[in-house]
C-alpha cells in the first residue's frame, strides 16, 4: 500500500531523470562496473594473468601486490594497449552516450573513456591530477572525466598505484578531487553512481560518505546497490537520512528504458 503523497519507485525514477535533464548531472563509476556488466572484468583478468597476480579471486586489491616496480613504464604501456582493445559493454556504452555534466571514476582502465569519446558532439577531457581545476567543470560539451586513482594511459605520477604505499598517497588525491563534487553539483544537480562496492573498490566508504553527507535529500543515487553498502555504518546512515537513495536496477539499463 502506498500512502498518499508517497512516490512509487517509477515516480521517483521519473523525478530523478527530470533532474538529470535539468542538470548538473554527474555520474560516478566504480571499479565493479565491468564485473557487473558482463560477469567478469576482462581488463583485470588480463593484467593478473600477465603479471602473476591472483586470478582465482580477482580484485583490484590484487594489483597492489604485483612485482612490476622495475618495469612500471613498460607494464603500464602494456596495460593501456590491452585496455584499448576491449569494447565497452552495453551498459557502459549507454552511460557513455548520456550528456553528463561531469564524470568521476575509480576505474583505472580506459574502456569507459572510449565510450564517452564515441559521442561526436562533445570533447572529452580526462583529469588525473588533483591540483587541476577546470574553468568549466560542468560543461556537457567539454566533458571532464575525473580519474580518482589515475589511469593506465599515464606514465607519470598520475599512473595508477601498484603498491599499498602508492595507494595511500593516491587516496589523498582522490579525496581532494571528490571534495569538489558538491560545488560541481550545485544545490540543484544530481549524482548517480553505479559499479560501486565498497568492499571491492579503492574508493573507501569512509572517504565517499563525508562528500555525500554535504548533499541534500534526493541528490545522490546509487544503482545496483550491493549488500556491503547496506551494512556499512556510514552509508546506511545516509540512506536512513534520505541523503543517499539506493536502487537495485542497473543505471545503464534504466536510462535505456
Amino acid at each position: 500500500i502506498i500512502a498518499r503523497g508517497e512516490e512509487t519507485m517509477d515516480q521517483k525514477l521519473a523525478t530523478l531523470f527530470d533532474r538529470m535533464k535539468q542538470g548538473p548531472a554527474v555520474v560516478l563509476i566504480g571499479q565493479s562496473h565491468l564485473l557487473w556488466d558482463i560477469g567478469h572484468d576482462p581488463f583485470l583478468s588480463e593484467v593478473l594473468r600477465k603479471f602473476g597476480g591472483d586470478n582465482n579471486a580477482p580484485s583490484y586489491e590484487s594489483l597492489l601486490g604485483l612485482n612490476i616496480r622495475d618495469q612500471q613504464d613498460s607494464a603500464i604501456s602494456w596495460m593501456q594497449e590491452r585496455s584499448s582493445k576491449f569494447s565497452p559493454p552495453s551498459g557502459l556504452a549507454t552511460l557513455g552516450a548520456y550528456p553528463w555534466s561531469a564524470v568521476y571514476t575509480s576505474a583505472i582502465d580506459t574502456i569507459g573513456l572510449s565510450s564517452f569519446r564515441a559521442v561526436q558532439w562533445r570533447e572529452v577531457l580526462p583529469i588525473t591530477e588533483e591540483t587541476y581545476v577546470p574553468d568549466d567543470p560542468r560543461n556537457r560539451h567539454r566533458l571532464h572525466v575525473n580519474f580518482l586513482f589515475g589511469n593506465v594511459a599515464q606514465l607519470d605520477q598520475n599512473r595508477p598505484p601498484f603498491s599499498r604505499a602508492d595507494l595511500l598517497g593516491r587516496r589523498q588525491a582522490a579525496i581532494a578531487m571528490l571534495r569538489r563534487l558538491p560545488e560541481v553539483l550545485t544545490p540543484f544537480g544530481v549524482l548517480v553512481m553505479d559499479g560501486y562496492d565498497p568492499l571491492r573498490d579503492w574508493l573507501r566508504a569512509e572517504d565517499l560518505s563525508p562528500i555525500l553527507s554535504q548533499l541534500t535529500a534526493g541528490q545522490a543515487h546509487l544503482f545496483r546497490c550491493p549488500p556491503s553498502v547496506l551494512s556499512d555504518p556510514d552509508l546506511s546512515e545516509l540512506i536512513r537520512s534520505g541523503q543517499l537513495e539506493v536502487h537495485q536496477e542497473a543505471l545503464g539499463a534504466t536510462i535505456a528504458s
Side-chain angles (χ1 to χ4, degrees):
I1 299 173
I2 299 172
R4 181 173 296 178
E6 182 179 339
E7 286 187 310
T8 66
M9 183 55 66
D10 285 345
Q11 289 170 330
K12 286 183 177 181
L13 288 174
T15 300
L16 168 61
F17 288 124
D18 283 343
R19 292 189 66 176
M20 287 170 59
K21 290 176 184 177
Q22 295 168 16
V26 178
V27 63
L28 189 154
I29 302 172
Q31 289 179 328
S32 294
H33 70 105
L34 290 175
L35 174 66
W36 292 353
D37 275 355
I38 56 179
H40 70 287
D41 186 329
F43 168 75
L44 178 61
S45 295
E46 285 283 296
V47 172
L48 294 176
R49 179 190 59 79
K50 172 71 174 179
F51 298 103
D54 181 10
N55 223 337
N56 293 319
S59 73
Y60 281 84
E61 284 291 304
S62 303
L63 297 184
L64 303 178
L66 295 183
N67 185 22
I68 62 171
R69 183 164 294 276
D70 295 333
Q71 52 173 334
Q72 277 205 9
D73 284 355
S74 60
I76 292 174
S77 295
W78 183 90
M79 294 178 197
Q80 166 58 8
E81 187 270 336
R82 296 305 300 165
S83 181
S84 66
K85 290 185 179 299
F86 294 116
S87 298
S90 59
L92 192 55
T94 299
L95 295 187
Y98 192 83
W100 303 107
S101 304
V103 177
Y104 288 75
T105 182
S106 56
I108 61 171
D109 61 75
T110 56
I111 301 171
L113 194 60
S114 66
S115 70
F116 295 112
R117 283 179 167 154
V119 177
Q120 300 299 314
W121 52 263
R122 69 181 170 209
E123 181 182 8
V124 177
L125 305 171
I127 297 178
T128 55
E129 174 58 61
E130 78 276 13
T131 59
Y132 176 71
V133 181
D135 295 330
D136 52 350
R138 58 187 76 87
N139 189 334
R140 296 181 191 256
H141 292 272
R142 300 184 75 246
L143 180 65
H144 296 93
V145 181
N146 298 267
F147 284 90
L148 300 176
F149 296 96
N151 67 44
V152 293
Q154 306 295 317
L155 292 176
D156 55 14
Q157 69 273 16
N158 296 311
R159 70 181 72 189
F162 290 103
S163 71
R164 294 198 175 277
D166 289 344
L167 179 59
L168 285 175
R170 185 66 207 194
R171 180 185 173 198
Q172 299 309 308
I175 292 172
M177 297 170 79
L178 283 172
R179 282 178 178 153
R180 297 197 286 267
L181 245 178
E183 182 180 354
V184 173
L185 281 169
T186 78
F188 308 103
V190 288
L191 169 68
V192 291
M193 300 171 281
D194 199 351
Y196 178 66
D197 182 345
L199 293 184
R200 298 182 54 87
D201 209 286
W202 286 349
L203 176 56
R204 298 183 180 182
E206 64 196 76
D207 296 333
L208 179 61
S209 296
I211 308 302
L212 300 181
S213 69
Q214 299 177 48
L215 307 181
T216 59
Q219 273 199 288
H221 295 255
L222 175 64
F223 285 78
R224 286 193 286 191
C225 175
S228 58
V229 166
L230 302 178
S231 61
D232 180 85
D234 296 326
L235 294 174
S236 61
E237 175 60 29
L238 291 172
I239 295 170
R240 285 192 294 271
S241 69
Q243 289 174 287
L244 174 62
E245 296 192 20
V246 296
H247 311 267
Q248 293 306 315
E249 303 89 349
L251 178 56
T254 306
I255 290 176
S257 64

